Amino acid sequence: MKTKFFSYISLIVMCWFATNGAIFAQSAATLLASAKAEFKKEYATQNMAQAAQQLQQALLSQPNNPEIHYYLANALDRVNAAEATWVASSNRKSVAQISQHLEQCIRLSPRYKGEKLALDPYSKLGTVWGSLAMGYLAQNLPDSARWAFKQGKSKGAYLEPSLELGRNLLNSCSKDAILFTSGDNFSYPLFYLQTVENLRLDVQIVDVNLLNTDWYCLYLAAHASNATLREGVSIDAIPNLVSWKPGPVSAKISSGDCGNDKTFEWDIPELINGDFLLRSEYVLLQVIIGNQFAKEVYFTVGFSKDDLLYLDSHLEFGVLVQKLKPCDNQKSKNAADYLRNYNLNSLPQQQAAITNSPDLVNQLNFYRIGYANAIFQLIELGKTDDAKALMAALETRLPTTLVPMFSATLNDYIEKLRVSLNR
């Protein structure tokens, strides 16, 4: 009888744990779903503090859920950003806490398969530590900035193939060039290379997205190596929205091989914001006009047509960069010329890192796009043997087993080029 009684009690206890475990799991799933919904609201109506609380509660029952860690890191980052009036006040303690959750997400799921926001965990790590580093630079604390960048790398950010791509990108630019970047996955590795490795300090990097913040304009006004840029980013002179009428724009050409052409002209038929430019767009225009092409101007690949202010038809494709050309007389450099000088040595040693980061796969496919365009150019010029050699180089240096294809459209395009060469 006693044995039966204890068996009965044990059964009740087991059922209680099983039932409550299911309730806890359901509760964690509900909390995660509620927090996710907060991210989908309009920015002004988001309650990220509440989302962070929900996710912290969810972790109590599911501490090994990588998706909860990922979303909690993003929620805490937005809380931190909302509380900081500018990046320089980014809290080191908050950054460490956000980083811990991203690191745990990566430990639990190196190839994160949960729902993703704008950036994967590796890229988000780079943004979080990079923002802290840039805050230190804005406060004229370069040693602290180097420390922050190195911390980010030691915790899983700034993967070597991404840094190698950044080196190739910087080395695509001419001496003393102005390089406009857009997107954290380009900008922060480039900032890392200049701050930690002192690489190509002659190139003036300008992140167009950051131009819409007060702190970045103040930082450039004080520290930019390019005088035209320094003079063009006075925060007192540039509001968030600048009145501007769409229409023709012109800039003087002070140097170069444009022959008798002394003026560069293009048309801006319309603006997203009606008769207003964003501060970033206005600064971009002022730099181009004020620079007078004394220094060559480049854009990283990936800019939208709107962000380029209709300059897209005046850009020379350079695989990782697009060079602004004021006239047709300038000597062109084709995609194959850029590719020949690119170092891809880190790729074979970093296969796991590449496949674990979808953002990195997308970045590395810009090489593949460059090869495809270079092969097409050579075919059009009738240089079939050179095109075949470049196709062989593509298959050797960037096999899909190492860098997965990120687009079916690109895959079909390359296959058509391959068929054309084998006729």
Side-chain angles (χ1 to χ4, degrees):
M1 183 71 179
K2 187 174 181 181
T3 305
K4 287 184 179 179
F5 174 77
F6 279 115
S7 297
Y8 179 68
I9 292 297
S10 298
L11 182 61
I12 291 175
V13 171
M14 288 171 63
C15 288
W16 184 89
F17 275 114
T19 303
N20 280 276
I23 291 171
F24 288 151
Q26 184 180 11
S27 175
T30 302
L31 289 165
L32 175 59
S34 179
K36 281 184 176 182
E38 208 63 42
F39 282 88
K40 295 174 184 175
K41 294 180 181 179
E42 291 292 328
Y43 183 81
T45 65
Q46 292 176 352
N47 188 337
M48 283 297 120
Q50 176 181 296
Q53 288 179 343
Q54 291 172 328
L55 292 162
Q56 285 166 335
Q57 188 177 346
L59 272 185
L60 295 176
S61 57
Q62 290 192 3
N64 293 324
N65 185 320
E67 193 169 27
I68 296 175
H69 283 285
Y70 173 79
Y71 270 88
L72 179 53
N74 279 274
L76 291 171
D77 184 50
R78 294 199 188 183
V79 170
N80 189 38
E83 292 176 350
T85 55
W86 64 321
V87 168
S89 38
S90 184
N91 189 301
R92 175 173 164 178
K93 185 177 179 181
S94 297
V95 167
Q97 183 185 14
I98 295 163
S99 180
Q100 285 172 2
H101 288 293
L102 290 169
E103 293 166 59
Q104 183 68 352
C105 172
I106 291 170
R107 277 193 291 268
L108 292 167
S109 179
R111 192 177 301 181
Y112 175 69
K113 294 185 185 203
E115 190 174 347
K116 192 181 85 166
L117 295 167
L119 301 171
D120 70 31
Y122 303 91
S123 298
K124 189 64 183 176
L125 265 175
T127 297
V128 169
W129 286 102
S131 294
L132 181 62
M134 293 303 293
Y136 284 135
L137 285 177
Q139 297 175 85
N140 202 27
L141 298 170
D143 289 341
S144 296
R146 281 188 283 273
W147 171 85
F149 273 128
K150 289 178 180 179
Q151 281 291 300
K153 191 172 193 308
S154 71
K155 295 175 185 303
Y158 317 122
L159 299 169
E160 184 54 32
S162 178
L163 292 177
E164 186 175 68
L165 182 144
R167 295 183 194 104
N168 289 331
L169 195 159
L170 284 171
N171 288 328
S172 297
C173 299
S174 60
K175 183 174 174 51
D176 298 324
I178 302 170
L179 172 64
F180 288 102
T181 70
S182 178
D184 294 355
N185 287 332
F186 274 121
S187 296
Y188 284 111
L190 292 175
F191 290 145
Y192 173 99
L193 291 169
Q194 287 197 327
T195 305
V196 177
E197 297 187 5
N198 294 317
L199 182 68
R200 290 303 305 272
L201 299 180
D202 61 295
V203 176
Q204 176 63 65
I205 298 171
V206 185
D207 185 310
V208 293
N209 294 323
L210 291 180
L211 283 172
N212 291 312
T213 65
D214 292 356
W215 74 267
Y216 188 60
C217 287
L218 288 168
Y219 165 70
L220 288 175
H223 299 283
S225 60
N226 185 278
T228 302
L229 182 60
R230 277 199 313 275
E231 294 162 5
V233 288
S234 169
I235 198 65
D236 296 327
I238 309 174
N240 292 329
L241 288 173
V242 182
S243 179
W244 187 276
K245 291 290 184 185
V249 184
S250 64
K252 290 182 180 178
I253 303 172
S254 63
S255 61
D257 49 4
C258 286
N260 294 325
D261 293 336
K262 299 301 179 185
T263 305
F264 170 58
E265 297 180 346
W266 82 101
D267 188 54
I268 302 178
E270 60 180 340
L271 298 169
I272 294 177
N273 296 293
D275 290 341
F276 291 92
L277 289 168
L278 292 174
R279 180 194 294 165
S280 57
E281 296 169 329
Y282 180 76
V283 172
L284 192 157
L285 272 181
Q286 294 309 305
V287 170
I288 291 172
I289 294 170
N291 176 54
Q292 298 185 8
F293 295 92
K295 310 294 183 186
E296 292 189 325
V297 175
Y298 296 81
F299 297 84
T300 53
V301 290
F303 268 77
S304 69
K305 185 173 182 177
D306 292 327
D307 289 337
L308 288 168
L309 293 176
Y310 297 90
L311 286 165
D312 49 298
S313 62
H314 301 279
L315 297 177
E316 174 186 280
F317 176 74
V319 183
L320 301 178
V321 295
Q322 301 171 94
K323 178 182 173 183
L324 181 59
K325 296 183 65 179
C327 60
D328 295 330
N329 297 332
Q330 282 187 306
K331 184 179 179 181
S332 294
K333 186 178 176 183
N334 60 44
D337 294 329
Y338 286 94
L339 286 164
R340 288 189 189 98
N341 295 320
Y342 285 167
N343 186 343
L344 305 183
N345 292 341
S346 77
L347 302 189
Q349 289 81 36
Q350 297 284 319
Q351 185 166 6
I354 293 168
T355 54
N356 284 345
S357 172
D359 292 347
L360 183 55
V361 169
N362 290 346
Q363 266 197 312
L364 295 178
N365 266 275
F366 282 116
Y367 289 130
R368 189 171 274 128
I369 294 169
Y371 271 103
N373 284 335
I375 291 166
F376 176 78
Q377 288 173 350
L378 290 169
I379 291 173
E380 289 290 290
L381 292 170
K383 298 181 179 181
T384 306
D385 289 342
D386 290 342
K388 286 181 177 180
L390 211 56
M391 179 67 78
L394 166 62
E395 292 169 346
T396 301
R397 303 182 85 192
L398 282 168
T400 54
T401 53
L402 180 59
V403 180
M405 191 79 66
F406 80 145
S407 162
T409 302
L410 178 59
N411 185 64
D412 292 343
Y413 178 45
I414 292 174
E415 189 55 37
K416 286 177 182 176
L417 292 173
R418 187 179 287 110
V419 170
S420 175
L421 289 172
N422 291 331
R423 284 175 184 163

